[in-house]
Amino acid sequence: MIQGISIHHFLIVSTLMFFIGITGFIIRQNLITILLSVELILNSVVINFLVFNRYLYPDQLQGHFFSLFIIGVAAAEASVAIALIINIYRRIHNIEADNVDRMKF
Amino acid sequence: MIDFSYTILIPLIPFVVFLITGLLGMKWKPLVSGIIGTIGMGISFVLSLFAAYQYFFVTVADGYHAIIPVNMLWLSFTDTLQIYMGILLDPISVMMLVVVTTVSFMVHIYSLGYMKGEKGFQRFYAFLSLFTFSMLGVVVSTNIFQMYIFWELVGVCSFLLIGFYYDKPSAVAAAKKAFIVTRFADLGFLVGILLLSYFTGTFDFDKLTQPGTSLFAGIAGVSFLGLSGISWAMVLIFMGAAGKSAMFPLHIWLPDAMEGPTPVSALIHAATMVVAGVFLVARLFPIYHFQTPGVLVFIGYVGGFTSLFAAVIAITQNDIKRVLAYSTLSQIGYMMVALGVSGYGGEQGLGFMASMFHLFTHAMFKALLFLGAGSIIHSVHSNLMKDMGGLRKYMPVTHFTFLIASLAISGIPPFSGFFSKDEILAAAFQSNKFLFYVEYITAGITSFYIFRLYFNIFWGKDTKYKHIPHEAPLNMAIPLIVLALGAAFSGFIPFHNLVTSNMKPFAIETNFLIALPSVAIGLLGIAVAWVLYKKENDLSGKIVKRMGVLYTATFHKFYIDEIYLFVTKTIIFNYIARPIAWFDHNVVDAFMIGIGTMSMKFSYKIKRLQSGELQQYAFVFVAGALVLGLSLLYFFGSH
Amino acid sequence: MFYLLSGTILTFSVLTITSRRMLRAAVYLLFVLVATSGLYFLLNYQFLAAIQLTLYAGGIVVLIIFSILLTGHISEKFKNPAPWKLWMGASVFIVGSAVALWALLSNELVRDTGVEEVQIDMHLIGNQLMGTGKNGFVLPFEIISILLLASMVAAIVIAKKENN
C-alpha cells in the first residue's frame, strides 16, 4: 500500500504493458522478439497478481507465490523456446515466423 | 468318533506337488518331477485307503453317516450367502477317493515309463497332479458351489492334458473341442446351481439331500414352459453332468480327446473326468429321486441310448483308443441307466448301488485297458488295429492283463464286470423292462467289440514289424498287474453293505434268471468275434458289404460331428451370423464411416483457415478473448 | 517514484517492440524488467523483486542475448512490418486497452477490511512454500520443479545437434 497511489494506477500500467506485449507479438516477425513480447505479457500479469495481493488481501500471500511460480514457468518456457528457435535456425537459417509454416494443413 | 481331518491331505498333497513341480520342475532333471509326483500320489493313495478302511470298517454302527471333518468359511458375501470349502465324507465320496487315487497312482507310475524322454515331462506331471487334485476336490466337496469350482478345474486340466502335444494341430483342436463342449454344458450346470440355491437358500449337500426336506417348496411351485422350477434346475444340472460324462449328444469331445497321451486317456476315462458326471448325479440322487422322478427317468433313457449308440459305433472303429473311448461312453451309459432306474433305500436302491459298483469296477478294468493299449502303442508306434496282430508272443504280460480286462468288461464271471453289470441289469429288470433289453443287447455288443479288438491285436496274422515289439518295461508292467488284480477281484467287494443310496446295508441275492442270460450273451459276443477275427479270413469283409449303408453310417459315428458342424457352420453362420455381419457392416459401420468422411470433406473445405501465420493466430486468439470478455461484461457486469 | 518507474516501464516496453535492432530490443526489455522489480520494491515484496532481478534480468535476458548472438547478426535491421500487420496490431492495442481499462475503471475494487497486513520474511515464505496445510504451496512447488526438470531435458534434446 503506497500513499497516494491507488490500485487503479498500477492496473492501468499493467494493462498497457500487457497490450503492448500483444501488439509486439502481432507485428514482429522475428521469433526472438516475439519471445520478448511474451516476457512483457508475463510481467504485466505478475504485476497484477502482486497488486491485487497487496491492495485487496494483504493478509495473505497467494498472489506472491503465484508470481513466484509464473517466474519459474517463464524461465522454463524461455529455455524451451530458445532451444526450439536455435533448432529452427539450424534447419532454415532464419528465424522469421512467416517462414515457419511447415505445419499448416 | 475317529478324527478324519487328515483327509484334507488327500487332495492337498497333489496340489502341493503341482505347485512344486510346476514352479520348480524346470530346474531339475525331468525324472525328479515324475518321482516327486508319484511319491505324492502314493501318499494320497495310502491315506485314502486308510480313510476308507476307517470309514467303512471302524465306525460301523447302523449304516454310515456323512462326516464333515473340515469345513471352513471361504467367502462371506452376506449373512445368507456364504461359501464354504470343506471335506465331506460319505460312502460314495470315500469310494471315489479310493478310485481316483488308485487309478491316478497307477497312471503316475505307468507314465514314468510311457512318457520317458518326452518333451515337457515335468509339465505332464504337474498337470497330472493338478488334475488329480481337482478331481479329488470334486469328490469331497461339501457344497455344490465348491464342487462347481473344482468341476471347472477338471475341465481346464483336461484341456491342458488333451492338448499336451500342443504343436500337433489335431491335439489342439481336440483340446478346444473338449473344453468348449464341456464349458457349454457347464453353463447349464451353473444356471442349475443358481436356480437351485436361489430358491433353497443353501449350497450344502448336507441340507439339500436330506430326504423329505421342505427346502424345495419354493422352487417346486415355480413353473416355466410347463416344467416346474426344480425340474428345470435338475435338468440343467444334469446337462453339466452329461457334458463331463459325455452323454449323447454332448459326447463328441470324448473320442477326440484320444489325442492326449494314453495315460491321460486312462485317467480321464477311468477315474476322473467322465465319472464326475455320474458322481454328480449320485451326489444329488435324493433330490432327483424325491423331487423330480421324471428327470431321473429321463437320465435313464439318455444313459440307455448313449450306451447302445456308442457300443454300435465301437464295433466299426479301427483306432484302438477310439474303440476304448466309445466303450467308455457305453459303460458310463450303463451307470446312468442304473441311476435312472434306481429307487431310494434298501432293495429299492439296488440301481444306485449297482451304478457305484460299476463305476468302481469300470475304473479298474478301463484303466487297465487303456494302459494296456498304451503299452501296445508304445511298442508298435501306431494306434491302428491293422498295424497289429499276433502280439501275444511278444507281450505276454500285456496280453494276459488285457485279456482279464476284456473278460471283465464283457461280464464273464468271476471277473469284476460280471457282478456290477449283473446288478445293473437286475435293477433295470425290476423297474424298466425297456431299458433292461437295451442294456442286455448292449452287453452282447460290448463283448463283441472288445474281443474284436483283442483278437485283432493279439491273434490274427503276424504283422511284419519294423522293430520287434517288446514287452512293457517294469514300471509300466506293475500298474498293469495291479489293475489286473483289481479288475479280476474287485467284484467280490460287498458293495451292497458299503455304498448304498441311504447309507444302510441291504441284502442282495443273485438272480440267476438274469445272470445266466447275461453271461450267455457275453459269451455269444466273444464267440462271434472269435469266428470273425481269430483267424485271418474275409468273413468280416463280407458282412461289412452286406450291411452297406448301415456300416458306413456307423463308421462315421452316425455323422454326429457332421451334424454339429452343419448346425454351427451352416445354420448359425449363414442364417444368423451373416445377416448380423451384413447389418453391422452396412448399417452400423457405414453410419460411422459416413460421419468420418463427412467431417473429412468438411475439413478439406475449411483448411485454408489454417494459414500457418503465427501472428494471425495470435490476433484471432486475442480478438476472441476480447469478445468473450466484452460479452461477459455485458451480461454479468454490474451495469 | 511510482510515476518514474511506470513511465520507464511503458516507454521501454514500447521501445522493445518497435526497435528494429534485436539486441537493442533485448536491452530495452532488461530496463523494463528492472523497472518492474522496482515496482515490487514499492509494493514491499523484496524477495520477489530480488528474484525478478536475478532470474529475469540476470538469467532470461542473458539467455535471450546469447540466442540472438547465435542466430543472427547484431547489425542486422528488421524490415518494417507489413502494413496489414501494423493495422492488426494497432487495432488490437486500441480495442483491447479500451475494453480492459473500461472494465477496470468502471469497477470499484474493495479491500478486505479489518485484516492485518502480513509481514513478509524469509521464514514465512519458506514455511508456506513447503507447507502442506491451509496456506501450503508444496504441490505447485513440486510441479514447478518437475516442469523445470522436464523443460531442461527438453531444451537439451531439442537443441543438440542431430548426428546424422
Side-chain angles (χ1 to χ4, degrees):
Chain A
M1 186 93 179
I2 307 160
Q3 283 302 316
I5 310 290
S6 80
I7 183 169
H8 287 116
H9 287 82
F10 280 99
L11 292 180
I12 289 167
V13 172
S14 74
T15 308
L16 288 175
M17 193 175 166
F18 182 84
F19 281 102
I20 289 169
I22 285 182
T23 312
F25 192 99
I26 290 175
I27 63 173
R28 277 296 166 211
Q29 291 284 1
N30 193 295
L31 284 174
I32 290 178
T33 328
I34 290 173
L35 187 59
L36 297 182
S37 312
V38 172
E39 301 296 345
L40 279 180
I41 295 171
L42 285 170
N43 257 286
S44 76
V45 173
V46 171
I47 293 175
N48 263 13
F49 265 109
L50 288 177
V51 169
F52 279 121
N53 193 177
R54 175 58 79 204
Y55 274 80
L56 299 185
Y57 304 100
D59 58 325
Q60 290 169 352
L61 277 179
Q62 261 92 337
H64 177 262
F65 283 117
F66 269 95
S67 310
L68 214 52
F69 293 137
I70 287 170
I71 293 173
V73 171
E77 167 251 316
S79 66
V80 176
I82 285 170
L84 283 171
I85 289 169
I86 289 174
N87 206 352
I88 289 170
Y89 180 76
R90 250 192 231 133
R91 281 162 193 268
I92 62 175
H93 295 283
N94 188 321
I95 46 171
E96 303 291 295
D98 286 358
N99 296 324
V100 189
D101 56 359
R102 199 76 61 80
M103 294 280 277
K104 72 178 177 184
F105 53 81
Chain B
M1 217 44 205
I2 297 166
D3 185 13
F4 275 106
S5 50
Y6 66 86
T7 48
I8 194 165
L9 290 175
I10 298 172
L12 271 190
I13 289 173
F15 183 62
V16 172
V17 167
F18 159 69
L19 288 181
I20 293 173
T21 52
L23 294 176
L24 304 173
M26 290 301 152
K27 293 196 164 59
W28 304 319
K29 279 186 183 166
L31 198 60
V32 179
S33 293
I35 288 171
I36 290 177
T38 311
I39 289 172
M41 208 50 241
I43 298 170
S44 275
F45 171 62
V46 172
L47 280 178
S48 330
L49 283 185
F50 184 65
Y53 165 73
Q54 281 198 325
Y55 187 83
F56 284 125
F57 301 113
V58 180
T59 63
V60 169
D62 110 76
Y64 303 104
H65 300 281
I67 301 171
I68 301 181
V70 182
N71 205 18
M72 53 199 168
L73 187 60
W74 181 56
L75 286 177
S76 173
F77 293 110
T78 62
D79 286 343
T80 48
L81 180 56
Q82 296 183 322
I83 294 169
Y84 287 85
M85 287 286 210
I87 304 275
L88 171 66
L89 296 180
D90 66 355
I92 53 174
S93 70
V94 173
M95 180 210 76
M96 284 296 289
L97 280 183
V98 174
V99 170
V100 174
T101 51
T102 311
V103 175
S104 180
F105 184 43
M106 293 305 143
V107 167
H108 271 77
I109 298 176
Y110 182 85
S111 303
L112 286 177
Y114 187 84
M115 298 298 288
K116 197 170 172 186
E118 292 267 1
K119 195 175 125 232
F121 189 82
Q122 300 99 321
R123 185 162 55 92
F124 180 79
Y125 267 92
F127 288 165
L128 271 192
S129 298
L130 184 62
F131 199 6
T132 314
F133 160 67
S134 24
M135 191 60 202
L136 291 170
V138 168
V139 167
V140 299
S141 293
T142 55
N143 59 65
I144 201 162
F145 199 89
Q146 184 189 356
M147 191 179 203
Y148 184 73
I149 293 169
F150 284 105
W151 185 271
E152 289 300 323
L153 258 179
V154 170
V156 173
C157 295
S158 71
F159 171 80
L160 293 172
L161 282 171
I162 294 169
F164 180 73
Y165 299 117
Y166 56 80
D167 43 5
K168 206 164 106 190
S170 61
V172 175
K176 278 194 288 195
K177 191 172 178 182
F179 193 65
I180 292 169
V181 172
T182 54
R183 207 42 274 235
F184 174 71
D186 292 347
L187 179 68
F189 185 22
L190 182 61
V191 175
I193 291 174
L194 294 179
L195 268 180
L196 195 63
S197 48
Y198 177 75
F199 282 103
T200 57
T202 179
F203 289 118
D204 287 351
F205 288 129
D206 233 18
K207 294 181 190 139
L208 286 173
T209 57
Q210 211 60 247
T213 176
S214 59
L215 279 172
F216 300 104
I219 189 169
V222 186
S223 88
F224 178 68
L225 290 182
L227 271 180
S228 71
I230 178 79
S231 301
W232 272 109
M234 298 319 282
V235 166
L236 285 169
I237 289 175
F238 173 65
M239 181 177 158
K244 277 276 186 295
S245 285
M247 289 288 98
F248 180 86
L250 296 171
H251 66 279
I252 51 165
W253 64 271
L254 189 64
D256 287 6
M258 296 301 118
E259 290 293 344
T262 310
V264 172
S265 308
L267 200 55
I268 289 180
H269 284 247
T272 50
M273 208 161 153
V274 294
V275 297
V278 178
F279 177 77
L280 175 63
V281 175
R283 171 60 85 208
L284 296 175
F285 184 73
I287 309 181
Y288 278 113
H289 181 71
F290 290 110
Q291 309 295 334
T292 59
V295 177
L296 202 54
V297 172
F298 169 70
I299 292 173
Y301 279 105
V302 170
F305 179 73
T306 309
S307 67
L308 181 60
F309 168 84
V312 172
I313 294 178
I315 299 175
T316 59
Q317 298 303 309
N318 287 329
D319 181 328
I320 58 173
K321 280 173 82 179
R322 271 183 193 273
V323 174
L324 294 179
Y326 279 105
S327 126
T328 304
L329 283 177
S330 173
Q331 299 301 312
I332 300 286
Y334 266 102
M335 299 172 205
M336 288 292 187
V337 167
L339 286 170
V341 298
S342 175
Y344 188 82
E347 316 245 327
Q348 300 299 312
L350 179 64
F352 182 89
M353 173 284 240
S355 173
M356 291 298 108
F357 196 8
H358 197 58
L359 195 161
F360 188 83
T361 56
H362 173 254
M364 298 298 163
F365 60 69
K366 188 48 65 67
L368 179 52
L369 282 172
F370 266 108
L371 295 185
S375 107
I376 294 161
I377 294 168
H378 194 64
S379 65
V380 182
H381 301 291
S382 166
N383 280 4
L384 297 178
M385 249 191 265
K386 66 175 164 50
D387 296 333
M388 301 161 189
L391 280 176
R392 70 184 186 282
K393 282 168 288 188
Y394 304 107
M395 311 175 72
V397 176
T398 311
H399 168 230
F400 188 65
T401 52
F402 202 91
L403 178 61
I404 289 176
S406 303
L407 288 170
I409 196 176
S410 305
I412 306 299
F415 298 103
S416 60
F418 164 71
F419 296 94
S420 54
K421 198 175 275 189
D422 179 52
E423 266 149 26
I424 290 178
L425 289 174
F429 189 75
Q430 277 175 13
S431 62
N432 194 326
K433 292 283 190 302
F434 174 74
L435 281 177
F436 167 73
Y437 288 118
V438 169
E439 294 313 299
Y440 185 66
I441 294 164
T442 308
I445 300 175
T446 305
S447 63
F448 172 68
Y449 69 67
I450 206 74
F451 273 90
R452 167 175 174 265
L453 195 64
Y454 168 76
F455 285 127
N456 259 324
I457 295 172
F458 293 102
W459 298 75
K461 69 172 185 331
D462 213 352
T463 315
K464 291 271 169 286
Y465 295 107
K466 276 184 206 141
H467 326 279
I468 305 280
H470 54 85
E471 180 53 86
L474 195 60
N475 47 14
M476 285 162 72
I478 287 173
L480 290 179
I481 294 166
V482 172
L483 286 170
L485 290 175
F489 300 116
S490 63
F492 295 107
I493 296 173
F495 255 65
H496 54 94
N497 286 335
L498 302 176
V499 182
T500 58
S501 54
N502 61 349
M503 307 186 201
K504 290 187 175 56
F506 66 93
I508 52 162
E509 67 273 8
T510 313
N511 186 344
F512 285 100
L513 275 178
I514 295 166
L516 287 179
S518 82
V519 173
I521 197 164
L523 289 173
L524 179 69
I526 295 172
V528 175
W530 170 283
V531 171
L532 291 180
Y533 300 106
K534 170 77 175 16
K535 284 265 157 36
E536 187 67 8
N537 58 35
D538 57 350
L539 260 175
S540 54
K542 275 184 199 152
I543 294 173
V544 165
K545 281 204 190 85
R546 293 276 291 280
M547 300 294 270
V549 181
L550 209 56
Y551 175 81
T552 324
T554 318
F555 184 73
H556 289 106
K557 305 149 212 162
F558 293 111
Y559 299 101
I560 298 291
D561 276 319
E562 281 77 5
I563 291 172
Y564 268 95
L565 269 185
F566 176 75
V567 169
T568 51
K569 228 174 218 160
T570 318
I571 298 180
I572 295 181
F573 280 12
N574 279 351
Y575 296 103
I576 300 174
R578 282 262 166 77
I580 293 175
W582 182 88
F583 180 81
D584 184 53
H585 195 257
N586 288 314
V587 179
V588 181
D589 279 5
F591 182 65
M592 291 304 161
I593 291 170
I595 291 176
T597 3
M598 286 275 287
S599 46
M600 207 154 82
K601 280 183 179 155
F602 186 65
S603 67
Y604 270 112
K605 297 270 186 264
I606 61 168
K607 75 175 181 180
R608 296 277 150 199
L609 281 179
Q610 306 280 313
S611 60
E613 293 276 345
L614 185 61
Q615 274 108 358
Q616 214 176 37
Y617 295 170
F619 175 71
V620 173
F621 173 72
V622 175
L626 283 176
V627 170
L628 198 64
L630 267 180
S631 49
L632 281 177
L633 279 173
Y634 181 77
F635 288 114
F636 301 104
S638 49
H639 311 291
Chain C
M1 191 65 191
F2 168 77
Y3 295 108
L4 181 66
L5 285 173
S6 33
T8 318
I9 287 174
L10 291 180
T11 320
F12 282 105
S13 300
V14 173
L15 282 174
T16 305
I17 64 161
T18 51
S19 157
R20 290 168 63 192
R21 289 176 189 272
M22 226 193 308
L23 197 57
R24 283 193 196 168
V27 176
Y28 293 146
L29 179 73
L30 182 61
F31 284 117
V32 176
L33 297 177
V34 172
T36 317
S37 79
L39 276 190
Y40 301 165
F41 273 117
L42 271 189
L43 286 166
N44 214 7
Y45 288 124
Q46 284 87 358
F47 176 71
L48 206 62
I51 294 280
Q52 168 92 357
L53 277 180
T54 51
L55 224 156
Y56 247 122
I60 295 179
V61 171
V62 169
L63 201 61
I64 288 173
I65 289 172
F66 269 137
S67 68
I68 291 170
L69 295 177
L70 273 175
T71 56
H73 308 288
I74 304 170
S75 55
E76 193 183 7
K77 272 181 148 185
F78 297 149
K79 304 185 291 283
N80 271 323
W84 64 273
K85 270 192 184 162
L86 273 179
W87 282 112
M88 214 156 70
S91 60
V92 162
F93 181 76
I94 291 163
V95 175
S97 321
V99 169
L101 290 176
W102 173 63
L104 197 66
L105 296 174
S106 61
N107 282 290
E108 200 63 36
L109 296 167
V110 188
R111 179 187 170 160
D112 254 10
T113 47
V115 287
E116 276 293 302
E117 191 157 320
V118 73
Q119 257 352 76
I120 301 171
D121 60 352
M122 287 311 292
H123 283 291
L124 186 66
I125 293 174
N127 282 335
Q128 293 212 357
L129 203 55
M130 302 301 286
T132 52
K134 179 169 170 280
N135 282 322
F137 280 87
V138 71
L139 184 64
F141 179 80
E142 290 298 331
I143 290 173
I144 277 288
S145 48
I146 289 172
L147 176 72
L148 282 171
L149 177 67
S151 61
M152 205 156 75
V153 174
I156 291 168
V157 169
I158 291 170
K160 79 168 189 207
K161 274 209 171 77
E162 282 160 45
N163 40 355
N164 48 359

